[in-house]
Amino acid sequence: MSILVTGGAGYIGSHTVIELIEAGYDVLIADNFYNSSPKVIDRLQQITGKSVQFCLCDVCDEKQVDNLFSRHKDIDCVIHFAAYKAVGESVEKPLEYYSNNIGGAMCILRAMKKHGVKNFVFSSSATVYGQPEKIPCDESCPAGSATNPYGWTKVMQEQILRDICAADKEMNVAILRYFNPIGAHPSGLIGEDPNGIPNNLLPYVAQAAIGKFDSVRVFGDDYPTADGTGVRDYIHVVDLAKGHVAAVRKLYTNCGIVTYNLGTGKGYSVFQVIEAFEKACGKKLKRSILPRRAGDIAENYADPSKAKAELGWQAQYDINDMCRDAWNWQSKNPNGYKE
């Protein structure tokens, strides 16, 4: 049996591949390197000490996806990461986000149906909660009031999965709603390497710390929070990766469809994250206060108790660990994988 990891050369995918291999699973990566690098495959092999199977594949291409499943008949489970992921960009490019994110998932799910694969882990997001009904936010909060196109692509895909599971009682699906992944593998060999100007806070802070930007952009300091900046639940990417391994184990109990928040249960403001990163890199960073960004909300953090109770999973790292490992990655790889 093999686990197909779409987008497995990407930020979260690559860290998950390591945890899967270390847990004893056979892994096949499918990626087209849209927002990743072929160098990731070599570094995964360096970290794990094992050969990593890889297939160059665009998950939005029906023929490529079908050929992949036809060639690898041992695929028993899919973890689907491959998607566009920037909230701000999705507001500017909604058509591209709907086409890529929903289209790619549909190609994978059709191939799974054709080839009899019944286990699926979906990379969802806390953005499905929109402005949460309550904070901390648990899985009982209404999901379906997203504030941006990226979030709506996740809402729609979750509904598609619920409908599939209602029609096919043999399907097992774990929907994992991430909060805000940051950090990097402690080795410093893999980490977040976005194309162009980073859309997310931490990689922008990290690149400012190595001198690529004059200051850190802060989108809004007038939110109704303690220091006026947005509050989010930041989770170490290694903790998040381990959550996927726990979800795979759950699928093999024939669980049907299950949904879990993956977060720490604690919110940090933008200013608090910047301060933690300043501690990690040993320097002060200039801040530029800009208007609020479209699609952003004031505050959101998780109640992850369901994942602890049912998966035996909980986050181990705090914000200082996250910033330490992010700085270790960025300082060793100032140009990411492009060097």
Side-chain angles (χ1 to χ4, degrees):
M1 295 189 297
S2 177
I3 298 177
L4 172 65
V5 182
T6 71
Y11 175 46
I12 303 171
S14 59
H15 288 82
T16 300
V17 166
I18 291 172
E19 298 303 323
L20 288 167
I21 291 172
E22 293 185 348
Y25 293 99
D26 292 325
V27 178
L28 169 64
I29 294 173
D31 208 303
N32 67 348
F33 300 124
Y34 171 81
N35 196 24
S36 58
S37 166
K39 293 181 180 179
V40 173
I41 308 302
D42 293 333
R43 296 193 182 189
L44 291 176
Q45 293 177 157
Q46 186 177 341
I47 291 168
T48 64
K50 295 183 179 180
S51 178
V52 176
Q53 286 193 92
F54 169 77
C55 179
L56 185 66
C57 180
D58 180 349
V59 299
C60 291
D61 187 309
E62 196 98 30
K63 185 175 289 186
Q64 288 185 34
V65 172
D66 184 60
N67 287 341
L68 173 64
F69 278 83
S70 296
R71 293 197 312 271
H72 297 274
K73 297 186 182 298
D74 61 339
I75 294 172
D76 183 59
C77 176
V78 176
I79 302 179
H80 183 54
F81 291 108
Y84 297 162
K85 64 176 185 176
V87 168
E89 184 182 61
S90 78
V91 175
E92 300 168 2
K93 301 178 179 179
L95 186 59
E96 289 88 339
Y97 268 68
Y98 287 117
S99 177
N100 182 80
N101 290 9
I102 297 173
M106 294 300 292
C107 279
I108 292 292
L109 289 164
R110 281 193 291 267
M112 288 177 63
K113 181 178 180 180
K114 178 179 178 180
H115 295 273
V117 180
K118 300 292 187 179
N119 299 302
F120 188 78
V121 178
F122 177 55
S123 171
S124 191
S125 167
T127 57
V128 301
Y129 295 116
Q131 181 65 56
E133 186 179 78
K134 61 181 178 180
I135 298 174
C137 178
D138 65 23
E139 295 83 354
S140 72
C141 288
S145 55
T147 60
N148 54 76
Y150 166 75
W152 279 113
T153 70
K154 299 299 185 181
V155 170
M156 293 174 184
Q157 288 172 89
E158 286 194 11
Q159 185 59 49
I160 290 167
L161 292 170
R162 284 190 285 270
D163 292 340
I164 290 172
C165 289
D168 183 353
K169 300 303 182 184
E170 293 182 356
M171 278 293 292
N172 299 300
V173 172
I175 295 171
L176 302 181
R177 293 172 177 164
Y178 313 160
F179 280 67
N180 294 71
I182 61 174
H185 192 268
S187 66
L189 288 170
I190 63 170
E192 189 166 12
D193 181 28
N195 287 328
I197 297 174
N199 287 288
N200 296 325
L201 173 63
L202 212 287
Y204 199 98
V205 173
Q207 291 189 21
I210 60 170
K212 288 196 172 185
F213 304 112
D214 292 334
S215 62
V216 178
R217 300 178 304 179
V218 178
F219 293 98
D221 65 349
D222 58 349
Y223 284 105
T225 60
D227 62 18
T229 65
V231 171
R232 297 291 184 272
D233 187 336
Y234 294 92
I235 178 173
H236 198 298
V237 66
V238 172
D239 277 332
L240 184 61
K242 291 178 178 178
H244 289 76
V245 178
V248 168
R249 294 194 185 105
K250 181 71 173 180
L251 293 182
Y252 290 133
T253 67
N254 297 316
C255 60
I257 187 164
V258 290
T259 303
Y260 300 104
N261 286 340
L262 295 185
T264 65
K266 181 173 183 179
Y268 297 96
S269 74
V270 172
F271 285 161
Q272 286 177 316
V273 172
I274 295 171
E275 288 162 6
F277 204 91
E278 289 173 336
K279 179 181 176 182
C281 70
K283 64 181 80 173
K284 297 293 289 184
L285 301 174
K286 184 181 176 182
R287 307 167 191 187
S288 296
I289 310 300
L290 302 174
R292 296 185 187 186
R293 188 169 53 182
D296 278 347
I297 61 174
E299 185 174 34
N300 193 12
Y301 57 93
D303 176 350
S305 57
K306 184 181 177 186
K308 181 179 180 180
E310 296 187 14
L311 300 180
W313 172 92
Q314 66 181 124
Q316 301 296 316
Y317 297 101
D318 66 17
I319 192 67
N320 294 313
D321 300 322
M322 301 176 212
C323 290
R324 176 201 65 212
D325 290 341
W327 176 241
N328 183 43
W329 151 256
Q330 192 70 70
S331 60
K332 289 179 177 177
N333 304 271
N335 295 311
Y337 298 111
K338 301 171 185 67
E339 296 180 320

